[in-house]
Amino acid sequence: MKSFADLIRERQSVRRFDDRPVSEEIVRACIEAARLSPSASNAQPWSFIVVNEPELTKQVAHATFDKLVPFNKFVPQAPVIVAFVIEKTKTITRLGGAIKDRDFQWCDHGIAAAHFCLMAAEQGVGTCMLGWFNEKKVKKLLAIPRKKRISMLIAMGYPPDDYHIREKIRKPSEAVLSFNKYDIGR
Ligand SMILES: Cc1cc2nc3c(=O)[nH]c(=O)nc-3n(C[C@H](O)[C@H](O)[C@H](O)COP(=O)(O)O)c2cc1C
């Protein structure tokens, strides 16, 4: 079994998928990881729509790019796309967020998405979080009520055999870390 540190190193955005389908069991395990993730006041302001019917999956995939923004053109290769829908939070969390000017729901979704993708990585399945998509179109395709928001889509599938784990491109820790006082970029 992989260590958590290995999983963090090996999880990467996968932008090529082969023809292998992803089993419902694996998709459910990833959803379970997201479902068990923490959220502000334990409000769990989410629902997850799994799109695995091939024709519908293609239609949703085609709502993630267009002529002007072509970078998600790989998404139609994904056999599964999961939509993270923002659900109503608790009143106390909403009020707290408004008073403190913090959007807890979007934070919660980020954490849930990380859990999802790490679980997929453990199963050998690749994922790519997608923040760029035509939300109106996707909501229509999936019958998501107009007033709700989709925080992100996650494309998932098996990377081809020649897909390698890339070196992570990240700011060095000296550029993002300080102890006891803010000492960044000085
Ligand atoms: C909120 C969010 C939105 C993203 N949207 C997209 C997207 O629309 N298309 C895409 O190809 N990658 C997208 N990504 C993936 C990032 O580009 C990627 O995580 C980042 O470059 C780091 O690379 P890695 O995931 O391989 O470690 C998104 C990631 C996050 C967290």
Side-chain angles (χ1 to χ4, degrees), residues 34-46 87-94 104-105 108 111:
R35 191 182 71 83
L36 294 181
S37 67
S39 57
S41 322
N42 200 18
Q44 307 162 60
W46 46 55
E87 298 294 347
K88 222 169 146 195
T89 191
K90 290 180 178 170
T91 306
I92 181 84
T93 319
R94 192 170 41 77
F104 293 124
Q105 285 148 293
D108 297 339
I111 296 165

Side-chain angles (χ1 to χ4, degrees), residues 11-13 15 71-72 74 128-132 152 166 168 170:
R11 198 276 333 143
Q12 60 182 358
S13 294
R15 297 187 177 89
F71 53 77
N72 281 340
F74 70 92
C128 189
M129 297 182 204
L130 306 168
W132 191 280
M152 75 178 78
R166 302 182 295 269
K168 294 247 180 281
R170 298 292 189 262

